[in-house]
């Protein structure tokens, strides 16, 4: 029979953001229970590329969070148990290229430089030194030494291993049914496996965060945004950095619901090459759209011509949590004391997870945040619904 569990915080969602929040909370001595209706990292995290990027964001709050999180990942990885610490972290750097007018990319790099990002404008010849197999049509490049990559499922699993090692628990296959309140504040989380008595519930449900928030009685605006990725057969080393075209930044920041594609190419430790990326808001429709895959392949071959002769081994896709103003939702819900949210990171959740976990922990414990939390608050017009 289901029983009652006790914790300080119940974290709903065992993806990379929920795992990072649980790890940071337990590192600070907070007892948590993590629940997920599926296996660890089985949702959005499993369909990610593992990007830890500072190169794809306009100056502003999200870039500040990305820069802080890039630094924070080092501290997080250092806390992991040695037996699970290899999450395939690679400080490979990123290269952004243009094949048409170099002006917009140069201007974007200048804005990032002014915001403190290490963005190095390089000539076409220097681009080809970094990536010899790129198209010769490159007109300009920007090298970002701080861009990195990890294996997201390994990372989430390692974070939750640390959570367990500290005496907290992780429960897969458990549905979170609703938040129990008394006198306007959280006193528990109702689940398919019994009650969790707790003083706080953290909604880290990714693209399903809106549905959970509504069930909790405090709806927020979070929408699924679909993305697809192609995976090639294993190859000898051929792509040394994360490489993408200048259109990628515009696609990331766009609010358009229609299909958008831009070229992103990178290798994994296993030798496969990941090819993205696409964005479209089509609800939770997970059907494979051949036209999307064709567009990804066409653009990738335009950037790396050798890929035209490389077989595609498989494809996968997932839903990213999209907030209408393109900013994550991190913090306490003003409508129900003890209800917290950490969602809305869209395709940047893996990179932003480390600082999100730290920020949630600082706010929960009443500590001075390591960066300004106000832009990510729950009660902003684009997020809060009646």
């Amino acid at each position: 029979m289901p029983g009652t569990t006790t914790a300080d915080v119940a974290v709903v969602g065992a993806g990379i953001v929920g795992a990072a929040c649980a790890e940071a909370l337990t590192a600070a001595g907070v007892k948590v229970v993590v629940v997920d209706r599926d296996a660890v990292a089985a949702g959005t995290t499993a369909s990610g590329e593992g990007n830890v990027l500072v190169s794809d964001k306009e100056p502003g709050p999200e870039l500040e969070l990305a820069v802080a999180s890039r630094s924070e990942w080092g501290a997080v990885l250092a806390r992991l148990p040695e037996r699970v610490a290899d999450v395939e972290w690679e400080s490979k750097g990123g290269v952004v290229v243009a094949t048409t007018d170099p002006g917009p990319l140069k201007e974007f790099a200048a804005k990032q430089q002014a915001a403190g990002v290490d963005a190095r404008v390089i000539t076409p010849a220097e681009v080809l030194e970094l990536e010899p197999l790129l198209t010769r049509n490159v007109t300009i490049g920007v090298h970002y030494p701080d861009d990195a990559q990890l294996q997201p499922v390994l990372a989430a699993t390692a974070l939750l291993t640390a959570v367990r090692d500290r005496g907290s628990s992780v429960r897969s296959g458990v549905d979170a049914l609703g938040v129990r309140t008394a006198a306007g504040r959280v006193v528990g989380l109702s689940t398919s496996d019994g009650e969790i008595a707790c003083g706080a519930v953290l909604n880290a449900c990714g693209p399903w965060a809106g549905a959970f928030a509504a069930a909790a009685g405090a709806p927020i605006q979070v929408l699924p945004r679909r993305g697809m990725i192609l995976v090639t057969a294993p190859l000898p080393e051929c792509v040394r950095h994360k490489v993408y075209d200048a259109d990628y930044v515009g696609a990331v920041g766009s609010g358009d619901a229609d299909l958008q594609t831009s070229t992103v190419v990178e290798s994994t430790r296993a030798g496969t090459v990941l090819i993205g990326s696409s964005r479209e808001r089509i609800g939770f429709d997970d059907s494979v759209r051949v036209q999307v895959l064709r567009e990804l392949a066409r653009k990738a071959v335009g950037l790396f011509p050798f890929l035209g002769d490389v077989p595609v081994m498989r494809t996968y896709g997932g839903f990213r949590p999209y907030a209408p103003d393109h900013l994550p939702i991190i913090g306490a819900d003003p409508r129900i004391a003890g209800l917290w949210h950490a969602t809305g990171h869209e395709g940047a959740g893996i990179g932003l997870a480390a600082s999100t976990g730290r920020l949630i922990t600082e706010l929960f414990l009443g500590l001075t945040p390591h960066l300004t939390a106000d832009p990510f608050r729950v009660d902003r017009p684009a997020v809060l619904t009646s």
Side-chain angles (χ1 to χ4, degrees), residues 348-374:
I350 292 159
L352 301 179
S355 263
T356 296
R358 179 175 173 180
L359 189 56
I360 282 287
T361 301
E362 290 164 341
L363 295 172
F364 182 75
L365 296 176
L367 305 175
T368 301
H370 68 294
L371 77 166
T372 302
D374 187 65

Side-chain angles (χ1 to χ4, degrees), residues 48 159 175 182 210 212 229-231 239 244 277 286 308 323 340 342 344 364 383:
L159 291 167
D175 274 315
F212 178 77
I229 295 171
L230 302 175
V231 186
V239 181
Y244 57 92
S277 69
D286 62 358
W340 294 71
F364 182 75
V383 169

